[in-house]
Amino acid sequence: MSSLNPTLVADGVWRLSANAGQDILFEGLWPLPHGVSMNSFLVKGRECALIDGVCGWDGVPQTLLAQLERMGVRLQDIRYVVLNHLEPDHTGWLEPFARLHPDFTLCASARGLGMADAFYGLAQERRAVGTGDHLDLGGGKVLEFHEIPNVHWPETIATWEPGTGTLFSCDAFGSFGAIGEAAYDDQLSEPELALFEEESLRYFSNILGAFSSSVERALRALKALRPRIVAPAHGPVWRRDPGRIQSWYERYCAYGRGPAEPEITVIWGSMYGMTERAVRSVLEGIAAEGVRAHVFRVPQSHVSPILAAAWRSTGIAIGAPVYEYRLFPPVAAVLDELARKKVVRKKVLAFGSFGWLAGGGGKELAEIVERYRLGWELLPPVEFPGAPREEAQARLREAGRGLAREVRAASADSGSTRAQPRQVSPS
Ligand SMILES: Cc1cc2nc3c(=O)[nH]c(=O)nc-3n(C[C@H](O)[C@H](O)[C@H](O)COP(=O)(O)O)c2cc1C
Ligand SMILES: [Fe+2]
Ligand SMILES: [Fe+2]
């Protein structure tokens, strides 16, 4: 964990932050090739409120304490700690913090306060806050609260400071990617912003995708506030163009309803190279229609970037040999993860090699689609015994073309004008 200098967000609003690096899996699961930041905010009226915190990974609470010290804020000046969301990536520092400075009031939703008990057993004075409540810090600084349940947990709220128009949105509008000394969109170059666009989609699909409809409801409610500054708990603070991250998130929610971009995510695995040869033919067909493909081999690729690519794609092509009368296991495992994250309403082509009996893979795929109610439209599968001969190659190319045409037509029908697609790295 690395610590940064505190920076001024707006009049009386400060940003404190810590980065976690590549050595950590977020949620014990998601790789962080570019790290992740955890942002905490200090609002100073006559009294001070600290909004959200950092995780309990090493160096806590020193990370925050050192930054407060650099700002000249004494612990006893912190009268309120606002917890928008109780997940330990924002609250892990609380216990050691409370040992050093026990005299503060904990503000969270009623459900959040219950979780604070369950996780940390704190004895502080507490105040349950919800939509319509406010907290007057004096000196013209008032905090207002908005419940945004299931963004990402059920207790989540957002905090709004109307004086500066700053929205402390916690996980909403968050992004993977560590923050250097450039913490604001106005300090980031276009290539850096492009990386955060990619990392915000990966964050959204990995962390929030399963709650996409709740996120969409929250986006509408928060947009009505017309924030001038969007200050999420992960990633950059958006103050030159707060609409940018909002429009990205709106687009990610729209992908969740489908159809998404006219793109195809190809997920494949192969033991002896038979299905691998088929992948090439399917890709030729897709390319012949001018449709972009994101290609991932499993189990070599982690599911995290696969989820991001699948989330933005209208089509999915699944290449898997038959294995013990079912799908090749690493392919089945990835499909199960996509299903749990509610990657729904896709156009799907399955293909692959078998040794002695076709149909096992297709049967299991249909089971997964049914079990999770994925609403996937399954195109006729292409199966072939052993190696794909010229006849099978022709069918595979044609199936790739067919999927690409369907994907293009569905995306065009959806009528949305979306941002230029950006590169999502294949495995
Ligand atoms: C452990 C194992 C289990 C298999 N199970 C089946 C099966 O249930 N049904 C079948 O038709 N072929 C089965 N096969 C044969 C493969 O599907 C066949 O070799 C195929 O060509 C492998 O394609 P690949 O090189 O793309 O992995 C199995 C092969 C292995 C190694
Ligand atoms: Fe969270
Ligand atoms: Fe978080």
Side-chain angles (χ1 to χ4, degrees), residues 239-277:
R239 62 183 181 188
R240 180 177 62 191
D241 184 4
R244 187 185 305 223
I245 187 71
Q246 292 180 77
S247 70
W248 289 354
Y249 261 64
E250 283 164 10
R251 178 156 50 88
Y252 305 156
C253 288
Y255 290 161
R257 283 184 267 108
E261 300 290 351
E263 298 171 14
I264 295 170
T265 294
V266 182
I267 303 162
W268 67 279
S270 178
M271 295 177 279
Y272 300 110
M274 307 303 152
T275 304
E276 182 171 13
R277 282 150 71 179

Side-chain angles (χ1 to χ4, degrees), residues 113-136:
L113 291 176
M115 288 181 176
D117 277 340
F119 281 102
Y120 307 110
L122 299 175
Q124 270 63 32
E125 190 181 308
R126 51 203 53 211
R127 185 194 287 208
V129 294
T131 303
D133 293 334
H134 70 274
L135 178 66
D136 194 342

